[in-house]
Amino acid sequence: MEKTYKKGDILEIRIEDMSDEGLGIGKAEGYTLFVKDAVIGDTCLVKIMKAKKNYAFAHLEEVKEPSSFRITPLCAKAKACGGCQLQAMSYEAELKFKENKVKNNLIRIGGFAEDFVELIKEPIVGMDNPYRYRNKAQYPVGYDKSGKLVTGFYAGRTHDIISNTDCILGKEKNKDILEAILSFMEKNGISAYSEESGKGIIRHILIREGFKTGEVMVCIVANADKLPHEEELGEMLFAMPGIKSVVLNINKENTNVILGKTTRVIKGSETIMDYLGDLSFKISAPSFYQVNPVQTEKLYTKALEYADLHGEEAVWDLYCGIGTISLFMAKKAKKVYGVEIVHEAIEDAKENAKRNGITNAEFFVGKAEEVLPEFYENENSDMRTPDVIVVDPPRKGCDEKCLETMLKMNPKRIVYVSCDSATLARDLKILCEEKYELKAWQCYDQFSRTVHVETVVRIQRKDT
Ligand code: SAH
């Protein structure tokens, strides 16, 4: 009879693998255990917390023999915080883990052969320094168990706030900004919002910096139309180094979506500026902007290489955000069309084109899966028959209707930029079913010390 395990059992296991979420995976007589904070190669004692028929989640009780990949996390809060899942693992091992994760998804979900996937792979591009790379952070504001006002990050899988004003993925100066806001709240009796009661005022603090310009935006997300003493808060923050924009985002909904629909200026500009390559970009609070600008430049250069433009091509850039990829492509293409769901981002994209003297890019607001079919049905221009389509969707990947239209448009090449390799592999299976072939893929480590990884893929029509 097979051995069964139950809650509370303590076992000694060796961690052989890691899940996509960064949990260590070990086996006891064929029974699989998922262990948070365990690193591949660790031999450890674990305690079963939640037992299912074939697997269990277990707590790491003691590392008996540490893995050769195990390191001491730089951040004291790493274990409690849900942000970095891989801080106890060497960076070299992290890069290998990420590349393997994408490779396995391409094989398992995409249905590609292992030899082939290995053959067309280009090696993962890591960071020189995998810390302090983020240009944006969103800090929830709340109270700790003793009722003290805190800000930091949510603990994994919960909405308990782990107090931390110096996240080592972000810049050191964020600490001064956060602490200034907390003391201002305390001094003026401004409350933090509570998700349970729906009461209280300040929900989140969002800080974003243009690394090339040094311009900083502070966006306070509030459950109110106006903050008490907001002019004073604006003045105080505006006087701090680099801060060019202090804005209020109003979110009165009972939701875990961070930003509400309305944003207005408290002090300074509505936007900040940054450069990617030699292009300048204006960024407003609700717009998506890549969080790791150092790696983004490398990634876009690769996307441009995969697009293989010679000046005569029509290009669609789907999920274009503020037009960053579009403008990179426009310099090498005849015409670029961008589509994006957030209207503020499209406003930014239009202005970004103008500011950079780019006249061959046009932008449209809407869902890619609605806008693209509409142009396909009703247009007779090169919008209907682009040479290249670039897609950079959010984690959930492309809508089927979007993929279907892309195939109908019959471009020579498709460049797929993805932040979720499972949905990437799912979509590639559809795209490469008949006329198209996967030609190359490469990972870019945009989210060091976390389990997330960016991938760029080149797909080509077989008859070209
Ligand atoms: N290419 C941009 C943005 C990529 S992030 C860059 O590199 O900066 C994905 C973008 O897709 C976000 O800006 C998001 O607002 C947008 N988006 C999400 N769902 C969408 C949809 N259904 N149609 C079009 N855009 C969408």
Side-chain angles (χ1 to χ4, degrees):
M1 209 180 91
E2 257 179 53
K3 191 163 167 34
T4 53
Y5 295 99
K6 58 179 188 318
K7 188 173 171 184
D9 284 354
I10 293 188
L11 312 169
E12 181 171 315
I13 56 167
R14 194 181 138 84
I15 303 299
E16 308 282 358
D17 202 353
M18 217 150 180
S19 75
D20 284 0
E21 297 80 34
L23 301 177
I25 303 175
K27 291 211 154 127
E29 296 172 49
Y31 189 69
T32 306
L33 294 135
F34 292 95
V35 191
K36 188 177 170 294
D37 305 315
V39 173
I40 298 181
D42 280 345
T43 300
C44 45
L45 280 186
V46 304
K47 183 174 177 182
I48 295 185
M49 307 304 285
K50 204 179 193 182
K52 303 266 181 185
K53 191 159 179 281
N54 300 314
Y55 67 93
F57 292 99
H59 180 255
L60 179 64
E61 297 283 298
E62 188 191 335
V63 178
K64 297 283 257 189
E65 237 179 85
S67 159
S68 58
F69 306 133
R70 184 172 267 284
I71 59 167
T72 306
L74 283 190
C75 169
K77 307 274 171 94
K79 205 170 159 185
C81 172
C84 295
Q85 301 86 0
L86 303 179
Q87 266 205 46
M89 194 174 178
S90 74
Y91 188 51
E92 220 184 341
E94 172 183 335
L95 292 177
K96 207 177 262 171
F97 159 73
K98 289 181 167 173
E99 199 171 72
N100 265 333
K101 165 168 143 169
V102 177
K103 180 178 149 185
N104 288 336
N105 281 337
L106 291 175
I107 297 166
R108 199 167 46 85
I109 303 171
F112 298 97
E114 180 167 2
D115 292 354
F116 172 71
V117 169
E118 197 53 52
L119 185 74
I120 61 165
K121 173 184 90 180
E122 298 193 63
I124 183 166
V125 178
M127 299 204 73
D128 294 335
N129 172 17
Y131 300 94
R132 304 274 182 212
Y133 62 83
R134 283 187 66 102
N135 60 13
K136 173 184 150 180
Q138 305 179 124
Y139 302 84
V141 182
Y143 300 96
D144 68 8
K145 290 202 175 74
S146 67
K148 188 170 162 254
L149 187 65
V150 290
T151 185
F153 294 94
Y154 291 131
R157 290 176 195 278
T158 75
H159 273 192
D160 293 344
I161 298 171
I162 303 296
S163 160
N164 185 4
T165 50
D166 187 24
C167 166
I168 54 162
L169 301 191
K171 289 287 172 197
E172 289 89 342
K173 69 173 84 152
N174 291 350
K175 185 169 190 267
D176 300 335
I177 299 171
L178 293 169
E179 284 173 2
I181 297 173
L182 289 185
S183 349
F184 188 87
M185 286 173 70
E186 262 160 10
K187 191 179 107 198
N188 293 287
I190 304 173
S191 57
Y193 175 77
S194 150
E195 282 185 334
E196 284 96 58
S197 69
K199 295 211 168 75
I201 297 182
I202 296 194
R203 299 172 71 123
H204 272 84
I205 300 165
L206 191 152
I207 305 175
R208 197 180 235 174
E209 178 176 349
F211 280 3
K212 293 249 174 84
T213 58
E215 293 186 8
V216 178
M217 169 186 282
V218 179
C219 172
I220 313 241
V221 185
N223 175 36
D225 295 315
K226 189 168 171 29
L227 295 178
H229 314 284
E230 74 173 32
E231 293 78 16
E232 197 189 322
L233 176 68
E235 294 291 341
M236 178 195 79
L237 291 172
F238 201 67
M240 294 178 79
I243 299 186
K244 288 280 174 300
S245 161
V246 183
V247 298
L248 180 75
N249 176 275
I250 300 156
N251 185 356
K252 295 189 202 166
E253 307 286 319
N254 178 10
T255 165
N256 57 12
V257 175
I258 296 178
L259 290 182
K261 291 199 174 64
T262 319
T263 309
R264 69 169 167 82
V265 172
I266 295 179
K267 175 85 190 173
S269 164
E270 197 179 349
T271 55
I272 51 166
M273 298 285 303
D274 198 22
Y275 286 87
L276 284 173
D278 54 6
L279 294 167
S280 65
F281 291 94
K282 198 178 106 171
I283 311 152
S284 53
S287 295
F288 175 90
Y289 185 60
Q290 298 280 357
V291 296
N292 184 335
V294 171
Q295 293 297 88
T296 296
E297 283 186 348
K298 299 181 198 167
L299 172 77
Y300 285 180
T301 305
K302 195 63 182 187
L304 198 56
E305 180 197 313
Y306 282 177
D308 193 13
L309 302 174
H310 301 277
E312 286 310 309
E313 296 84 357
V315 180
W316 267 104
D317 177 18
L318 311 181
Y319 312 88
C320 69
I322 59 170
T324 41
I325 296 182
S326 319
L327 300 189
F328 258 68
M329 300 271 163
K331 295 206 286 184
K332 296 266 169 72
K334 186 166 157 213
K335 193 82 209 242
V336 178
Y337 306 102
V339 59
E340 156 68 43
I341 200 168
V342 174
H343 80 90
E344 287 94 338
I346 287 293
E347 290 309 308
D348 289 348
K350 287 180 181 167
E351 259 204 75
N352 287 330
K354 226 183 259 166
R355 179 171 334 91
N356 289 287
I358 290 172
T359 50
N360 60 337
E362 255 184 89
F363 295 97
F364 305 94
V365 183
K367 291 184 179 166
E369 60 272 26
E370 289 173 6
V371 171
L372 206 62
E374 223 173 274
F375 280 114
Y376 180 74
E377 302 298 338
N378 303 320
E379 271 290 323
N380 257 330
S381 67
D382 59 3
M383 296 178 98
R384 192 171 195 268
T385 52
D387 301 278
V388 177
I389 299 181
V390 182
V391 295
D392 184 5
R395 279 188 205 163
K396 68 171 191 243
C398 295
D399 188 275
E400 251 181 76
K401 184 82 190 159
C402 179
L403 294 171
E404 204 180 283
T405 314
M406 285 164 66
L407 288 170
K408 282 192 198 155
M409 286 182 153
N410 205 29
K412 294 187 191 75
R413 289 174 292 286
I414 298 171
V415 180
Y416 195 135
V417 180
S418 159
C419 56
D420 185 317
S421 57
T423 57
L424 167 70
R426 179 201 70 197
D427 292 350
L428 286 180
K429 190 170 183 175
I430 296 172
L431 290 173
C432 300
E433 207 164 62
E434 285 174 31
K435 284 191 299 185
Y436 287 86
E437 212 166 15
L438 181 60
K439 282 288 186 189
W441 64 280
Q442 186 167 35
C443 294
Y444 283 79
D445 188 30
Q446 297 255 70
F447 312 105
S448 307
R449 312 323 267 137
T450 81
V451 289
H452 303 291
V453 59
E454 194 90 0
T455 310
V456 57
V457 159
R458 176 184 162 128
I459 305 159
Q460 192 165 318
R461 207 171 73 205
K462 284 181 187 160
D463 64 355
T464 59

